[in-house]
Amino acid sequence: MKPLTLSLLTALFVAASPLQADTIATGDLGLIIERTKGSVLLVDQSERATLARIEGLGDLSHASLVYSPDERFAYVFGRDGGLTKVDIVTRTIANRVVQAGNAIGGAISDDGQLVAVSNYEPGGVRIFDADTLELVADIPTDSKTIGLVDAPGRRFVFTMWDTGETWIADLSQPDMQITKITDMGDRPYDALITANGRTYITGLFGEDGLTALDLWDETPEPIRVLPNYGRGQQEMPVYKMPHLEGWALTGSEFVLPAVGHHEVLWVDADTLQETGRTQTYGQPVFAMARPDGRQVWVNFAHPLNDTIQVIDSVSKDIIHEFKPGPAVLHMEFTPRGHEVWLSVRDAGKVMIYDTRTFEKLREIDADSPSGIFFTARAHRTGL
């Protein structure tokens, strides 16, 4: 090798080294909400380790987040109306606005350019530029707004607790278009959208049953699901409202946590007819399908929230039950489902289990952990 060439290569290597040192792969990372401290833990799922704590995010009770398409930024939705943009590469807060008095969650558009927040106080949805967090659109609804999800075509879908309407905000054109769908039911409490963006389902607190929309229809109409099922004529006490999310689909069936009952419901995804029920240990809060759909993991409302049950999605039988500790609040599967991470709030731990052997693999210390969110969510509709 000629000396000049060697010198040139050496110079290029030296110049490139700082960039290489700054390069961080984010596909294996995740954030855990620490609700009491107002902080998030940055974790590495393969190493099963904590990398950093990022503080100053406000009230994170009932907090959730979404990721930018490049998996670098997380948008954290706090209960105090705070919208915080976290840079997981630099491990800092990139930007933060307090956009309302009480917020309940949010979503990011399919192109990653818009972030929408669902509010209780004041009601409605506010939409922000994902880069700058400048307000793009303010959609008042005169109601607490729940079940906000992203839908294909730069759209957001959300539902009103007080009025029982679902609105579709289409921001694919310069002038935003709003489609309003009435008669969704009495007091919708949460909603899910399927991964293909076609079916949107709301759970109802004020009447029996659920309501679905076919978003592929030009004019979606409410479709009643399980109209004879719910809290019933003699209303059941509800210790914690169950959550609905896109992980509820196991192959060809939805598995949905019942409201007030100790059971989960199985519903055919095509016909929306009930296909079965599984009796559970307590009132289910999350019923989450493993990514391959073979199992469903269920946690429960207080005072039975120390227990997890695992249901086989073929037989619909419970195949495993164990008690990780006090107040199991949330579960998150690794993207291919070989592990599940559980936040055990009152133990101050996140516990990691093998989903096939049910062996506990590791514990991570965390301060009152709740939501666990891996960056693979960046590529899923509705998460």
Side-chain angles (χ1 to χ4, degrees):
M1 183 176 291
K2 295 180 180 179
L4 180 60
T5 304
L6 180 60
S7 298
L8 178 60
L9 288 173
T10 302
L12 289 172
F13 176 77
V14 171
S17 293
L19 290 176
Q20 292 171 345
D22 290 339
T23 300
I24 297 173
T26 58
D28 215 18
L29 304 183
L31 291 171
I32 298 171
I33 301 293
E34 293 186 304
R35 52 188 295 150
T36 303
K37 293 176 69 72
S39 56
V40 292
L41 288 181
L42 178 63
V43 295
D44 184 312
Q45 61 174 270
S46 291
E47 298 296 328
R48 303 183 189 124
T50 300
L51 302 179
R53 171 178 283 125
I54 302 164
E55 301 179 304
L57 282 75
D59 181 355
L60 294 187
S61 56
H62 204 283
S64 63
L65 62 85
V66 296
Y67 287 103
S68 60
D70 63 2
E71 302 180 358
R72 174 168 182 170
F73 297 104
Y75 300 88
V76 183
F77 309 104
R79 195 58 186 263
D80 58 0
L83 168 60
T84 307
K85 182 177 180 179
V86 174
D87 186 335
I88 63 176
V89 172
T90 63
R91 305 175 182 183
T92 60
I93 292 176
N95 202 348
R96 173 175 165 81
V97 296
V98 177
Q99 55 82 44
N102 189 334
I104 195 62
I108 187 167
S109 59
D110 57 358
D111 61 3
Q113 296 182 3
L114 301 170
V115 176
V117 190
S118 179
N119 292 315
Y120 277 0
E121 181 56 45
V125 170
R126 286 177 171 158
I127 301 174
F128 299 85
D129 181 287
D131 184 31
T132 63
L133 297 192
E134 293 179 352
L135 185 65
V136 173
D138 187 3
I139 309 173
T141 61
D142 295 325
S143 169
K144 293 179 180 177
T145 307
I146 57 93
L148 171 64
V149 299
D150 56 285
R154 220 177 192 225
R155 294 180 298 165
F156 295 105
V157 186
F158 47 92
T159 296
M160 272 51 82
W161 163 270
D162 301 286
T163 61
E165 295 183 350
T166 293
W167 292 8
I168 303 171
D170 184 341
L171 290 98
S172 61
Q173 303 299 320
D175 294 329
M176 178 177 64
Q177 300 295 315
I178 300 284
T179 300
K180 300 180 180 179
I181 300 158
T182 60
D183 194 28
M184 290 292 289
D186 185 5
R187 284 168 284 170
Y189 64 86
D190 200 5
L192 66 86
I193 188 171
T194 52
N196 63 4
R198 177 169 186 172
T199 305
Y200 179 84
I201 297 178
T202 62
L204 302 177
F205 186 75
E207 65 178 77
D208 288 351
L210 307 94
T211 306
L213 292 175
D214 182 353
L215 299 179
W216 288 7
D217 196 315
E218 289 294 325
T219 55
E221 297 289 339
I223 303 167
R224 298 300 186 198
V225 180
L226 304 181
N228 298 316
Y229 182 81
R231 300 171 72 201
Q233 297 298 318
Q234 183 176 355
E235 294 186 348
M236 307 285 290
V238 178
Y239 300 111
K240 183 174 176 58
M241 207 74 87
H243 289 258
L244 304 176
E245 286 285 358
W247 53 64
L249 191 61
T250 64
S252 61
E253 294 174 295
F254 293 108
V255 55
L256 303 170
V259 178
H261 296 262
H262 290 202
E263 59 188 13
V264 296
L265 310 174
W266 300 80
V267 176
D268 185 284
D270 291 327
T271 65
L272 298 179
Q273 298 298 309
E274 180 181 344
T275 55
R277 301 181 184 187
T278 300
Q279 299 299 308
T280 57
Y281 175 69
Q283 292 183 7
V285 176
F286 287 101
M288 298 177 62
R290 200 173 68 180
D292 64 353
R294 190 68 176 84
Q295 299 173 351
V296 175
W297 288 55
V298 186
N299 71 335
F300 303 101
H302 178 82
L304 303 177
N305 58 0
D306 62 343
T307 299
I308 291 287
Q309 288 185 318
V310 182
I311 304 173
D312 182 284
S313 61
V314 175
S315 68
K316 299 182 174 57
D317 294 331
I318 293 169
I319 57 172
H320 187 61
E321 177 179 317
F322 65 107
K323 295 181 183 299
V328 181
L329 295 192
H330 194 238
M331 302 172 280
E332 177 82 337
F333 291 99
T334 50
R336 296 194 184 191
H338 67 294
E339 292 179 1
V340 63
W341 292 38
L342 309 179
S343 59
V344 188
R345 183 194 62 194
D346 294 350
K349 303 283 187 183
V350 170
M351 300 184 183
I352 304 165
Y353 289 84
D354 186 304
T355 57
R356 288 172 175 78
T357 66
F358 306 119
E359 174 190 4
K360 185 162 76 173
L361 303 172
R362 187 159 186 176
E363 295 181 354
I364 293 176
D365 291 334
D367 193 302
S368 299
S370 55
I372 305 169
F373 304 89
F374 292 142
T375 54
R377 286 169 170 256
H379 312 295
R380 293 277 307 276
T381 295
L383 295 182

